[in-house]
Amino acid sequence: MTPNSKVDVLISGAGAAGLTLAIELARRGVNFRLIEKLNDAFRGSRGKGIQPRTQEVFEDLGILDRIVALGGTYPKQREYRDDGSFSESDVVLGEAPTPAEPYRLPLMVPQFLTEGVMRERLLELGHRPEFGCELIGFEQDDAGVTARLKGRSAEETIRARWLVGADGGRSFVRHALDIRFPGKTLGVRAIVADVVLTGLDRDAWHRFGEGDMQRQLALCPLAGTDLFQIQGPIPLTGEIDLSAAGLTALVNERTGRDDIHVRSVSWASAFNMSARLADRYRLGRVFLAGDAGHTHPPTGGQGLNTSVQDAYNLGWKLAAVAAGAPDALLDSYEEERRPIAAAMLGLATTLLDALKRGEMRRGREVHQLDIGYPESSLALEKPARRGGLLAGDRAPDAPLTGAAGQPRRLFDLFKGTHWTLLGYEVEQLAIPPRPGLHIHRICQRADLMDQGGHFRQAYGLAPGDWVLVRPDGYVGAVVAAADARALEAYLANVGFAHDA
């Protein structure tokens, strides 16, 4: 057994949630370790949809352009009839971008490509996952967590202020904490496989047997690769041959064609769909993130996105408390994210029912742009607002003009690890500056001007109002000029006392 080492945060699981959390901690200078029991990175395409809200998160993390360059948009779906004829339609109902919502179209990026970009970004920040390192036990006390790790050559113990279980639906951390994971199995077993095949072109998502759970099969070209993803329901019991020959036979049987041949299989899985939600996301100094806290059918492309946003929410809060903010800030993680997962499970299950009927089209309901935390303890309004943008809402983007004449974007001002305070048509600062808080005034005689009126339209502020934007791009507070002193108390609760 090697001697103890100490970190602020131990992250168990280096999938999308663990990587997002690691990037968030790394760019804030928090000491952590990211471990993964697998010996190598995940090779499958399981979560291939990147929703518009996650695209905004990835822009903040500095990886969106790389993600877009690797992937692509969803092709049209081509539904084949029994006589061989077909019809085509859009899988995703696209909307034109607006100044407030610059990304409104889901991307297709296979999960292994997305996570590869995230590992590259983490390496730029000076860190990398430790593969072949498994969490095998832990105990916690009032001051931290003592964890036992099993590496490729030895075991060790490590002391951490906090442990985050981002270790998937079968989470060791969740089981060790004896946190209940209630829900239901959905009576659907399915396969997903990444394959090289011949006989189909790559300009459509080929769908056969729609509405028939005995015959349904989808073959989708995976953007950024030479692979197709095969998806389809299978019998609830029995062995399934996931070899190239076995998948070719399945494809031929369900399509009625003999010209489609699976040449090789890079990854394949058979799984039972379920919808489950952990009873809690925090127990003492241990947290659950991603699939460790929620599992769901893959319909609607919600899972990876929800996991990324879990970690995005938790990361800045852990960093703030590590730097001296009140511990109570960490309670807002479960308060905010668990209801989002509950709603996502309902949506994914509803979309699964639609898929069973052969209905595939997806609209704004899957984009996650309307997710917010209006009931959060971190949402402050003085006075209470009756409409428009509310505390807890996603902070919209808007084009502005800098006093020097150059175009600016709100998202560029938000990008990074800081909080942002915006004053609309204010004459002077409401509170003194401090490290980690960027303050801007928006009016004709200030550093930013709203010449196109897009900020006024998106935010609906009255002259003299202040809006405080959190590091994760959500509105923390909206206060009128007469109530600006309330900002001091708010900032103290998140670690920004004036004498900090």
Side-chain angles (χ1 to χ4, degrees), residues 39 45 62 67 81 94 180 193 197 210 221 264 328 339 371 376 448 467 487:
N39 289 323
S45 66
I67 294 284
R81 307 180 185 94
R180 293 179 63 248
L197 60 76
E210 289 296 285
S264 62
I371 286 174
S376 171
L448 297 170
V467 58
L487 288 172

Side-chain angles (χ1 to χ4, degrees), residues 56-98:
E56 296 179 352
V57 172
F58 284 170
E59 181 181 7
D60 180 43
L61 298 184
I63 60 175
L64 179 61
D65 288 331
R66 302 182 213 183
I67 294 284
V68 174
L70 281 178
T73 57
Y74 278 76
K76 289 184 177 295
Q77 61 177 354
R78 183 176 297 169
E79 297 184 34
Y80 292 85
R81 307 180 185 94
D82 289 343
D83 63 4
S85 63
F86 59 83
S87 60
E88 289 190 345
S89 61
D90 291 323
V91 180
V92 177
L93 300 178
E95 299 177 284
T98 68

Side-chain angles (χ1 to χ4, degrees), residues 81-154:
R81 307 180 185 94
D82 289 343
D83 63 4
S85 63
F86 59 83
S87 60
E88 289 190 345
S89 61
D90 291 323
V91 180
V92 177
L93 300 178
E95 299 177 284
T98 68
E101 296 178 349
Y103 311 112
R104 295 182 114 190
L105 192 65
L107 299 172
M108 180 193 292
V109 189
Q111 184 171 341
F112 67 89
L113 292 181
T114 298
E115 292 181 359
V117 171
M118 298 174 83
R119 287 191 298 274
E120 290 175 1
R121 179 66 180 131
L122 186 59
L123 187 60
E124 292 172 351
L125 295 167
H127 299 269
R128 66 177 77 224
E130 299 176 40
F131 289 104
C133 185
E134 181 178 3
L135 177 67
I136 58 174
F138 62 88
E139 298 85 30
Q140 64 171 314
D141 53 44
D142 291 342
V145 179
T146 301
R148 300 191 307 278
L149 310 182
K150 182 179 180 180
R152 290 173 173 168
S153 59

